[in-house]
Amino acid sequence: MTGILLVAVSSILVIDTVAASAMIGPSAIGWWLLFFFVFFLPYGLVTAELGTTYKDEGAIVDWVHRAFGRDAAARTSWLYWVNYSLWVPAVYYMFAIISAQLIGIELSSFAIAIFATAMTWLTSYIATFDVERLTWIASLGAIFKSAIMLILGVGGLYVGFTNGFANPFTIWDTLPSFADGGTYLPVIIFNVMGFEIIAGAASTFKDPERDIPKATVLGGILITFFYLLASLGILAVIPLAEISDSSGVIDAFELVFGTSGGAQILVYVVGIMVLYTLVSNVVTWAMGVNQTVVYSAKQGLMPKMFEGVSQKTGMPTTASWANAWMGTATMVAYLVMVGVTGNEDLFWNVFSLGAIGLLASYVMMFPAFLKLRLSDKETVRGYTIPGGTPVAIFCSVVPTLILLCGLVFFFWVPGFPMDMEYFYTVGTGLLIAMIGGEFLIAKAKSEHREAADHKSVAAA
């Protein structure tokens, strides 16, 4: 089960949005605890039941296909794949910012775009390596992430207790509230996605019926603990108004360790670890996302061109290089946005493109779970969520409502005005992605019909 836990931590625990989580303010503590019980735990248990019952490689796409048919599955597949392609440039946007911060230089928006694009192509190449090497990369990343979260959290709290906290931490301040950083609440949802990557590989485990549910609960507790601890560490040393969503982690480490010669070496070491975790997280998600789109192509839900895999390693190639092209297009769009708006600090805009697509791809999964639980009585379930139908309804309805609220909150938080510049830039990018998806889905339908016609003629 240790291997499953490492995969869970590597795929779900991310460094790139820890600062954004802290920007919610002290109320992030209450929000994290609440979301663990109403979203994270139900989500993990749902994927555990589905993954140990339906063991096809398609995971979320296969589950939606079984419940709601080809059209819903095709759109889920597209959203699930394209969100990754749009999210990767945001990760390497942060990679560029942190690298420059460690070296002590400031990068222009053009340099950031070039850097992020180059790293996107490099990762697309790495994603074609064999599973053994990719698993090694992911496992080391999980260890680094855990260490970084512990150092950040414990170090930040130590500085807070010895020198005073940068933000108030009364009981009332830690209760869920929209008062500070309501815009960043969807980050909590984004931060806990990824359990279906484990469930989708259920057929490769020796005893998935036993290991996956246990790993889900234990992994959920560990991941929530690490996120909470790291958010507290940042809030302990940086005033809320001064936290940067792109450089907040390294800023916090500099305040924890100091800027003396020896301390700066520690900052460099931890900074390099942070950079490695960004790469390992992208690689881990590539394994799951690209394998899913290959499965979709084989089922006729996506165009046949996505079926391409390496003859040497068996890993997806067409999907991986398509990731790189999508990432390049995203960074070109970023440069256009900088030129139009004059705002170079657009990390949140770039990040939102992928995050919104990810949340949207899960909207059909929870209803699919409930429909399959109620309608498919014959299939033997490797694991069943206890509590019967009432608990199954809760695990389906509540997470779905939270996902929908999260999608709305990306654009508008109740009680706060809508940022129209953000709405138009991000909304335009999402519209282009959806139109592109509909074009590819139509192409896949045409190919599927032609294949069916050929089979009919051959049979006749």
Side-chain angles (χ1 to χ4, degrees):
M1 193 173 71
T2 301
I4 301 177
L5 274 175
L6 285 173
V7 174
V9 172
S10 185
S11 60
I12 300 173
L13 195 64
V14 294
I15 302 296
D16 49 308
T17 51
V18 169
S21 172
M23 292 175 76
I24 297 171
S27 66
I29 298 171
W31 281 115
W32 268 109
L33 293 175
L34 177 63
F35 270 64
F36 174 79
F37 290 104
V38 301
F39 186 83
F40 196 12
L41 186 57
Y43 160 52
L45 294 176
V46 163
T47 59
E49 177 169 328
L50 290 171
T52 56
T53 303
Y54 308 103
K55 299 179 182 179
D56 291 321
E57 294 179 357
I60 184 173
V61 174
D62 176 59
W63 306 332
V64 173
H65 188 191
R66 289 173 182 272
F68 301 118
R70 299 184 59 83
D71 287 348
R75 288 174 176 82
T76 297
S77 177
W78 169 249
L79 287 169
Y80 193 62
W81 180 80
V82 79
N83 95 81
Y84 169 83
S85 298
L86 296 174
W87 164 70
V88 171
V91 175
Y92 289 132
Y93 180 113
M94 174 174 281
F95 192 107
I97 295 295
I98 293 175
S99 299
Q101 192 175 3
L102 291 173
I103 298 171
I105 62 174
E106 186 172 341
L107 296 177
S108 66
S109 55
F110 181 77
I112 291 173
I114 294 297
F115 195 99
T117 301
M119 287 300 299
T120 300
W121 281 90
L122 176 61
T123 305
S124 292
Y125 169 68
I126 294 173
T128 63
F129 288 1
D130 58 84
V131 174
E132 288 75 16
R133 278 194 287 179
L134 295 178
T135 303
W136 182 86
I137 291 171
S139 298
L140 183 59
I143 295 170
F144 279 1
K145 289 176 191 179
S146 302
I148 290 165
M149 298 288 200
L150 284 171
I151 296 170
L152 180 59
V154 174
L157 290 174
Y158 174 79
V159 172
F161 280 116
T162 54
N163 299 332
F165 286 86
N167 296 283
F169 280 98
T170 67
I171 294 295
W172 298 109
D173 292 320
T174 59
L175 295 177
S177 168
F178 289 109
D180 294 314
T183 303
Y184 296 96
L185 284 176
V187 170
I188 294 180
I189 307 174
F190 175 85
N191 279 350
V192 300
M193 309 312 278
F195 268 129
E196 73 287 343
I197 292 178
I198 305 167
S203 60
T204 66
F205 299 132
K206 291 183 178 179
D207 192 354
E209 288 79 7
R210 181 199 67 184
D211 291 342
I212 289 180
K214 287 183 178 179
T216 296
V217 176
L218 182 57
I221 293 172
L222 283 173
I223 290 164
T224 301
F225 167 76
F226 282 131
Y227 275 131
L228 260 177
L229 187 63
S231 297
L232 283 172
I234 293 175
L235 287 166
V237 296
I238 305 179
L240 180 59
E242 298 177 15
I243 299 175
S244 167
D245 52 13
S246 57
S247 63
V249 172
I250 299 300
D251 293 338
F253 275 119
E254 289 181 341
L255 290 170
V256 168
F257 292 132
T259 55
S260 64
Q264 197 62 35
I265 292 175
L266 289 176
V267 173
Y268 287 146
V269 171
V270 174
I272 292 171
M273 290 171 64
V274 169
L275 295 176
Y276 179 88
T277 66
L278 297 180
V279 176
S280 72
N281 207 54
V282 170
V283 169
T284 304
W285 271 92
M287 287 192 287
V289 169
N290 288 338
Q291 289 282 17
T292 299
V293 81
V294 169
Y295 171 86
S296 299
K298 290 179 178 178
Q299 301 300 313
L301 302 172
M302 293 293 287
K304 291 180 67 64
M305 64 182 181
F306 283 104
E307 290 184 23
V309 297
S310 168
Q311 293 183 352
K312 181 178 179 181
T313 66
M315 298 302 291
T317 51
T318 304
S320 188
W321 295 121
N323 292 150
W325 283 111
M326 286 288 292
T328 302
T330 301
M331 293 317 296
V332 169
Y334 159 71
L335 290 176
V336 172
M337 287 191 288
V338 171
V340 172
T341 66
N343 180 11
E344 295 188 6
D345 187 15
L346 292 173
F347 169 78
W348 182 249
N349 298 53
V350 178
F351 165 78
S352 296
L353 281 171
I356 292 170
L358 180 67
L359 267 59
S361 70
Y362 287 90
V363 168
M364 297 300 292
M365 187 189 79
F366 294 99
F369 155 73
L370 184 59
K371 182 177 180 183
L372 291 171
R373 167 70 83 87
L374 297 176
S375 63
D376 185 9
K377 303 286 188 179
E378 296 180 358
T379 301
V380 177
R381 279 160 170 74
Y383 165 78
T384 301
I385 300 175
T389 301
V391 174
I393 292 173
F394 175 88
C395 289
S396 174
V397 174
V398 173
T400 301
L401 293 175
I402 290 173
L403 280 174
L404 293 173
C405 288
L407 290 170
V408 173
F409 285 2
F410 263 112
F411 292 102
W412 173 70
V413 178
F416 294 86
M418 181 181 290
D419 184 341
M420 297 310 297
E421 177 185 301
Y422 168 86
F423 175 79
Y424 287 127
T425 54
V426 175
T428 300
L430 291 171
L431 180 61
I432 293 172
M434 293 306 298
I435 293 173
E438 291 302 313
F439 171 78
L440 290 175
I441 291 169
K443 178 177 174 57
K445 284 183 177 180
S446 175
E447 292 175 350
H448 186 68
R449 281 195 300 267
E450 289 179 7
D453 290 342
H454 285 311
K455 286 183 178 179
S456 299
V457 171

